[in-house]
Amino acid sequence: MGKGVNRMMRGTTAVVGIGETPFHKRGTSGEPALKLALRAIVAAAEDAGIAPSEIDGFVSYGSERNDGQRMMSALGTEELRFGALVWTHGGGIPGALGLAATAIVTGQAEVVAVYRAMSESGGRRLRVDVAQDDTAAQQLVNGLDGPAQMCALRTMRLIEAEGVPARTLREMALVSYHHAKRNPRAIGRDAALDERIYDESRWISEPYRLFDCSRESDAGVAVIMVSAERAKDLRQRPAYLLGAPMGAVKGWGVLEENHDPYWSAGFRGVADRLWRETGYGPGDVDVAQIYENMTGMGVSALIEHRFCDPATAGDFITFDNLTAPDGGLPINTSGGNLAEGFIHGMSLVSEAVRQIRGTSPNQVPGASLSLMTGGPGDPVVSTALLGDASTV
């Protein structure tokens, strides 16, 4: 291990169970988010070969309202020893994995469920939670009342000022829908998408067209984390957490319209810490799940993780290079937020784990290092690297 490697965290915990409910179009599940969360957690526990009652820690992020104490009776929880919420929105998914790992390493909990559930059947649209509740009055007055509009400003700066080709947005969308076709869980598996259909689709907020935008869904997604030692004796091949830094560099935080550079997805410091703390670099990664609330923010995330720079983005972000099984860096191999379903990005964790297990619908041969990024553009973001036993 090189200098700066986080020896306390690197490979000391693992994801051993994944669980998902079916993905429904927003508002059509007919079930409250609490029930969806419970179903996902039980499925993840069964996948791991652990009784749900053994779960003693609960971690989520963003606007999740189904805290552990609400689920204790249904799960038969023997003892709740740890419960926490990462404040930031979709940017907090990998951070939630890191928080769960911290609880396990420090002895606060032994079996932690990391989860997210959404249902418009019993609540309100995520865009209200993300945008309208936390958006400055001057943005609302000027008509910026949704994430697509806010992210569009940053992506337009990326295109106009940094020279990143606009076609990289289309390539990101084509890749996600291509992978969704082989994923029976994906809501977008039957959607026809090619360059012509993309180019003729309606504008949502320039430079974003219809297929650049993620789709809100009703569903629950959960993973189970335990210590690396316990993981050896469980049912599934462990996906070891090698690093999950979160944070924001100076000048970021809530000063959203003053970010420098304005096109940033917020990963500059966090991505560098990931490579430093894990001892790996972008050239080592086999497959990546890149959170795309909008395609342009995914482009920025790839740049800030140093897979390319603005000058080379057009050569790197191509359909051929980003598709499994033979691309240089296959991404969003389940369809991602765009085409599989959007549960605030939590399903990206499941797919990152499946790639390590070798069970993805679009498997990358021999994948041993699997990256996933949190919601780009949040005031605080996080990123995570998972690996098989050979990487620890």
Side-chain angles (χ1 to χ4, degrees):
M1 298 183 192
K3 183 179 179 180
V5 171
N6 190 336
R7 291 174 174 81
M8 179 175 288
M9 297 297 295
R10 187 182 190 274
T12 55
T13 62
V15 177
V16 294
I18 57 178
E20 299 174 340
T21 70
F23 292 92
H24 301 271
K25 183 178 179 181
R26 61 179 178 83
T28 65
S29 68
E31 296 182 321
L34 176 60
K35 183 179 287 188
L36 297 173
L38 285 166
R39 287 183 175 176
I41 291 171
V42 169
E46 291 176 347
D47 182 57
I50 291 175
S53 59
E54 290 186 69
I55 299 170
D56 57 1
F58 298 88
V59 177
S60 191
Y61 57 93
S63 49
E64 179 66 49
R65 293 181 173 84
N66 301 298
D67 43 43
Q69 53 266 38
R70 295 187 65 196
M71 295 185 280
M72 288 179 65
S73 58
L75 295 173
T77 302
E78 296 170 3
E79 181 180 10
L80 194 159
R81 299 175 58 198
F82 187 82
L85 183 75
V86 178
W87 288 331
T88 187
H89 294 116
I93 309 168
L97 298 179
L99 186 56
T102 300
I104 294 167
V105 169
T106 58
Q108 299 302 303
E110 294 183 2
V111 181
V112 180
V114 181
Y115 60 97
R116 185 77 171 91
M118 291 166 48
S119 174
E120 195 175 329
S121 298
R124 59 184 185 177
R125 291 195 64 178
L126 181 67
R127 68 181 292 270
V128 177
D129 288 325
V130 172
Q132 294 184 5
D133 278 5
D134 299 312
T135 299
Q138 63 266 29
Q139 291 176 312
L140 294 174
V141 167
N142 287 283
L144 300 178
D145 67 346
Q149 296 163 311
M150 300 170 194
C151 293
L153 295 173
R154 289 148 180 77
T155 298
M156 188 61 80
R157 178 70 62 86
L158 184 68
I159 294 169
E160 295 293 337
E162 301 299 324
V164 173
R167 60 177 169 77
T168 57
L169 279 61
R170 183 180 63 196
E171 300 297 295
M172 294 280 287
L174 291 172
V175 166
S176 289
Y177 278 88
H178 171 78
H179 287 147
K181 291 184 182 301
R182 297 187 61 181
N183 179 2
R185 302 180 306 277
I187 290 178
R189 63 186 178 277
D190 297 323
L193 183 63
D194 56 24
E195 292 185 3
R196 179 188 62 80
I197 294 173
Y198 174 93
D199 290 342
E200 293 178 358
S201 64
R202 69 180 185 271
W203 292 111
I204 299 300
S205 184
E206 193 175 0
Y208 296 145
R209 294 184 179 274
L210 176 65
F211 293 100
D212 289 307
C213 303
S214 57
R215 52 179 79 216
E216 293 179 26
S217 308
D218 286 5
V221 182
V223 301
I224 300 294
M225 294 185 66
V226 299
S227 69
E229 188 64 29
R230 182 169 184 178
K232 296 176 183 178
D233 300 323
L234 294 177
R235 179 177 296 162
Q236 301 291 351
R237 184 183 188 186
Y240 296 95
L241 184 65
L242 304 178
M246 66 180 297
V249 296
K250 182 178 180 180
W252 196 255
V254 297
L255 301 174
E256 294 188 8
E257 299 310 314
N258 295 289
H259 293 167
D260 183 20
Y262 186 66
W263 57 265
S264 172
F267 290 105
R268 286 179 296 149
V270 168
D272 288 344
R273 283 167 51 205
L274 178 72
W275 305 135
R276 184 170 64 251
E277 292 177 8
T278 63
Y280 291 104
D284 299 315
V285 176
D286 298 305
V287 60
Q289 310 307 319
I290 304 296
Y291 190 120
E292 0 78 300
N293 43 13
M294 316 298 159
T295 53
M297 300 305 287
V299 170
S300 294
L302 286 169
I303 292 172
E304 292 189 298
H305 278 80
R306 303 190 186 282
F307 291 108
C308 56
D309 57 34
T312 60
D315 296 325
F316 184 85
I317 302 173
T318 67
F319 180 84
D320 289 341
N321 195 46
L322 301 183
T323 48
D326 300 322
L329 181 71
I331 69 168
N332 302 338
T333 46
S334 64
N337 293 336
L338 299 183
E340 181 183 39
F342 182 72
I343 307 301
H344 223 169
M346 185 65 200
S347 59
L348 299 178
V349 183
S350 302
E351 180 62 11
V353 172
R354 281 191 289 265
Q355 285 289 347
I356 297 299
R357 291 182 177 182
T359 60
S360 168
N362 295 281
Q363 184 62 43
V364 175
S368 60
L369 282 175
S370 183
L371 175 76
M372 70 148 301
T373 68
D378 267 2
V380 174
V381 298
S382 55
T383 187
L385 189 63
L386 298 167
D388 65 12
S390 70
T391 67
V392 176

